Amino acid sequence: THAASLVELGNGRIRAFWFAGSREGAQDVEVRSAVFDPASERWSAEQSIANRVGTRRALLRYGKKLGNPVAQRAADGTLSLYYVTVSLGGWAGSSITAITSTGDGSSWSPARRLITSPFINISTLVKGTPFDYSDGSIALPVYHEFIGKFGELLRISSSGAIIDKTRLSSGRSSLQPVVLIKDPRQALVMMRHSGASPKRVIATATDDAGQHWSPPVKTVLANPDAAISGVVLPDGRILMALNDAEQGRDALSLVVSSDGGTSWKSVHLFEDQ
């Protein structure tokens, strides 16, 4: 069980997604989902949302494995679920598959493949939470890991067409961008570090609504080549969840910044094994 993400539904319930199977990359891996009801404080039974066989049938192409589901809810209530599928090689051979639901996830459309790269459309992966632009288009944080490893931002129309793609970093050391929106013009992107030690969360920022991004730099946050997640609170503070360790993923911490991401303070230790 790996790579959980969630989206709030219109009635306050929360639908979570993850991928699970006998092992990562196995042919029996599927995307699963369950709904949390805050009134009863209980989770529903989990259900299968997408699997390798159904995705292969819809795309009319061979599917070796799948993973990394992330969801987004549009203003009209439509849910979009994006996940990676591999036809060739390992995760670096991934492309992004999308399905939609107009019933809060009770049923889903057939899968379709996003065309994001001119190089046989491989090595675009998804992990970070999507968000809306003011014109109704969707921003999907993605990353590339064939030869180079770097973050990108896709802009997708409400009908699902790719409008453009913006590079967030370069080189071979940054993956899985998380976009933290401060206001309509300012945002901070934090990325997993897969380069040389010392491994630190990598950051880039914009103050012109994403037209330009600052050169990526290492932050003070330790990152043992593991995913991160975060959110901006209404009062402007930033919360980040990460494996705050030099190596290994046995410690999971919650950290907070009150100065826009310059300095951080640990506020909770979820797990330390």
Side-chain angles (χ1 to χ4, degrees):
T1 301
H2 195 48
S5 64
L6 58 85
V7 63
E8 184 177 354
L9 304 178
N11 54 12
R13 296 180 302 159
I14 295 172
R15 180 173 284 280
F17 302 89
W18 63 94
F19 72 93
S22 57
R23 59 174 174 79
E24 183 174 322
Q27 294 190 351
D28 65 352
V29 168
E30 60 185 8
V31 176
R32 298 179 183 173
S33 179
V35 176
F36 180 75
D37 184 353
S40 63
E41 296 187 346
R42 298 179 67 88
W43 285 93
S44 70
E46 64 184 85
Q47 62 182 124
S48 175
I49 298 296
N51 58 41
R52 187 179 64 88
V53 175
T55 300
R56 181 179 63 186
R57 186 181 301 119
L59 299 181
L60 300 177
R61 61 184 288 115
Y62 172 70
K64 183 179 179 182
K65 58 184 178 180
L66 54 81
N68 281 19
V70 297
Q72 184 263 354
R73 185 177 186 272
D76 65 0
T78 300
L79 292 183
S80 294
L81 184 71
Y82 304 94
Y83 57 99
V84 298
T85 54
V86 178
S87 298
L88 176 68
W91 290 121
S94 295
S95 59
I96 299 176
T97 298
I99 56 178
T100 58
S101 173
T102 56
D104 279 347
S106 58
S107 61
W108 295 86
S109 69
R112 61 184 181 85
R113 190 170 180 240
L114 301 187
I115 307 300
T116 63
S117 169
F119 182 67
I120 63 175
N121 195 37
I122 65 168
S123 200
T124 305
L125 299 88
V126 67
K127 185 70 169 67
T129 303
F131 60 92
D132 290 334
Y133 286 118
S134 59
D135 64 357
S137 59
I138 299 165
L140 183 62
V142 300
Y143 60 102
H144 178 97
E145 61 171 78
F146 178 69
I147 302 178
K149 294 182 178 181
F150 48 83
E152 298 177 311
L153 194 58
L154 293 181
R155 185 166 164 238
I156 305 173
S157 72
S158 57
S159 63
I162 303 295
I163 299 173
D164 59 37
K165 179 169 64 173
T166 301
R167 182 76 68 90
L168 297 172
S169 61
S170 59
R172 300 174 58 88
S173 62
S174 51
L175 296 169
Q176 300 177 344
V178 174
V179 182
L180 303 168
I181 300 171
K182 300 178 180 180
D183 59 43
R185 297 191 61 81
Q186 293 184 311
L188 176 68
V189 168
M190 307 290 268
M191 290 174 280
R192 168 179 174 174
H193 184 198
S194 62
S197 296
K199 295 182 182 294
R200 296 290 182 267
V201 173
I202 297 174
T204 180
T206 181
D207 58 10
D208 59 6
Q211 296 297 312
H212 303 88
W213 293 88
S214 63
V217 296
K218 288 184 177 182
T219 69
V220 298
L221 296 171
N223 181 250
D225 198 359
I228 57 178
S229 189
V231 65
V232 179
L233 300 179
D235 63 7
R237 291 180 299 162
I238 302 174
L239 285 178
M240 292 282 299
L242 75 164
N243 300 111
D244 191 12
E246 295 296 333
Q247 59 185 2
R249 300 180 179 180
D250 297 327
L252 181 64
S253 298
L254 185 70
V255 297
V256 64
S257 174
S258 299
D259 54 13
T262 301
S263 61
W264 298 87
K265 177 183 178 182
S266 180
V267 291
H268 188 72
L269 182 65
F270 290 111
E271 193 72 62
D272 185 0
Q273 298 181 350

